[in-house]
Amino acid sequence: MEHATAPDSRIDLQRIPAHIAIIMDGNGRWAKRQGKTRSQGHEAGARNVRLVTEACRELGVRALTLFAFSTENWNRPKREVDSLFRLISRAMKQYADKINETDVRLRHLGEMDGLPEHAARDVRKCMEQTRNNKTMDVCVALNYGGRAEIVQAARKLADAARRGEIAPEDITEELLARQLYLPDHSEVDLLIRTSGELRISNFMLWQISYAEIVVTPTLWPDFNRQALYDAIVEYQARDRRFGGRP
Ligand code: FPP
């Protein structure tokens, strides 16, 4: 159910960020603190994806983009990589019906080639099942890098120029933005990073140009509804000028 009144009296429902992106960090540290394995940390992180998705949908957020696996994450031990993709496959199967019932559309950004076959299959299946849903997009960044995204956009434009379809001077910010993984997506309004790190880590480099950034010390598995509301309150207290003057 969407909220008729704000779930937190500090939140202005008229100014909910349309697009929230999250760098979900801290699963490993969470596990260590609890005396659990890293895999259990990622499992808790995956469960939290469901909770935060639901909370965003209730608030009227239109798109939620989640950094689940970066192009740099391949450097982790193979056991951890394998277990992460098994978890992602499982989540796609477990949550597909729920995502569908709540009119949420699953999307992917990144390079599908290179994902383990079972993960690519389960992500595709979930996308297919939810493709006509309209209330909110959940976009999962898998095998995603912000620089790689811009490089593949540049290649498409170079190809079009080679074929004589465009001239170099036709290349504008709008035209480049249309070659990104999800060209119809709005730019990010609010970027949240959990676990206190002050880095962008090659995430959505193009789309976060004017995003408000909120970094919270909370580890991802502990990032609950209240933490989301706090981030939105902080966002709403900012004065967004997009480079202009008040
Ligand atoms: C960072 O924690 C987290 C990741 C690299 C993986 C994030 C993936 C999930 C939460 C599962 C995704 C599931 C779905 C359904 C999209 P870390 O291991 O870097 O933590 P640390 O810095 O504390 O070690």
Side-chain angles (χ1 to χ4, degrees):
M1 268 293 285
E2 256 186 58
H3 286 284
T5 53
D8 180 318
S9 60
R10 300 169 302 163
I11 291 180
D12 175 357
L13 284 182
Q14 305 309 313
R15 292 191 301 121
I16 293 294
H19 188 173
I20 298 181
I22 307 184
I23 302 176
M24 309 181 287
D25 199 7
N27 295 346
R29 273 161 286 174
W30 181 90
K32 199 165 183 189
R33 279 186 203 170
Q34 312 259 330
K36 297 188 167 156
T37 62
R38 289 186 64 81
S39 278
Q40 288 174 312
H42 292 314
E43 275 168 32
R47 283 196 294 276
N48 205 40
V49 165
R50 183 166 168 186
L51 179 126
V52 171
T53 301
E54 194 49 32
C56 283
R57 197 188 66 91
E58 288 168 6
L59 285 169
V61 172
R62 299 308 313 274
L64 173 65
T65 301
L66 299 167
F67 205 5
F69 194 91
S70 73
T71 44
E72 289 73 33
N73 286 152
W74 294 110
N75 298 325
R76 294 192 178 204
K78 182 171 173 343
R79 261 187 56 204
E80 184 175 353
V81 171
D82 289 348
S83 103
L84 259 172
F85 281 110
R86 274 199 304 274
L87 180 63
I88 286 161
S89 271
R90 192 161 9 118
M92 292 297 149
K93 289 190 270 200
Q94 270 175 355
Y95 301 159
D97 288 343
K98 175 76 181 167
I99 295 175
N100 206 23
E101 275 164 29
T102 51
D103 200 36
V104 170
R105 174 169 66 162
L106 184 92
R107 306 184 79 185
H108 167 253
L109 61 164
E111 296 296 329
M112 199 63 103
D113 289 349
L115 293 190
E117 215 170 288
H118 66 90
R121 182 196 60 218
D122 294 329
V123 171
R124 282 206 179 94
K125 237 188 205 164
C126 190
M127 287 197 295
E128 183 55 33
Q129 190 181 344
T130 61
R131 60 196 276 258
N132 295 319
N133 295 344
K134 302 258 180 313
T135 300
M136 186 174 89
D137 280 347
V138 173
C139 311
V140 181
L142 282 173
N143 197 14
Y144 174 87
R147 287 182 178 173
E149 180 173 33
I150 295 169
V151 167
Q152 63 83 41
R155 284 200 185 131
K156 284 189 210 156
L157 292 174
D159 253 357
R162 184 168 51 194
R163 287 194 301 268
E165 293 163 10
I166 58 168
E169 55 274 21
D170 295 334
I171 299 175
T172 58
E173 291 185 12
E174 288 71 26
L175 191 61
L176 193 138
R178 268 188 260 145
Q179 322 304 318
L180 298 176
Y181 290 127
L182 297 174
D184 55 324
H185 246 206
S186 62
E187 293 197 12
V188 174
D189 298 299
L190 168 60
L191 173 69
I192 299 171
R193 181 164 190 148
T194 59
S195 94
E197 240 71 66
L198 299 172
R199 284 191 292 277
I200 298 298
S201 300
N202 199 17
F203 188 44
M204 310 277 280
L205 297 180
W206 183 277
Q207 301 89 333
I208 61 167
S209 294
Y210 288 101
E212 294 298 328
I213 303 178
V214 172
V215 175
T216 162
T218 306
L219 305 176
W220 172 249
D222 291 330
F223 187 84
N224 56 16
R225 277 173 194 273
Q226 201 51 55
L228 175 73
Y229 300 157
D230 289 346
I232 292 176
V233 168
E234 191 172 335
Y235 164 86
Q236 292 188 335
R238 304 268 177 90
D239 179 14
R240 298 188 82 194
R241 296 201 213 119
F242 299 94
R245 276 196 289 188

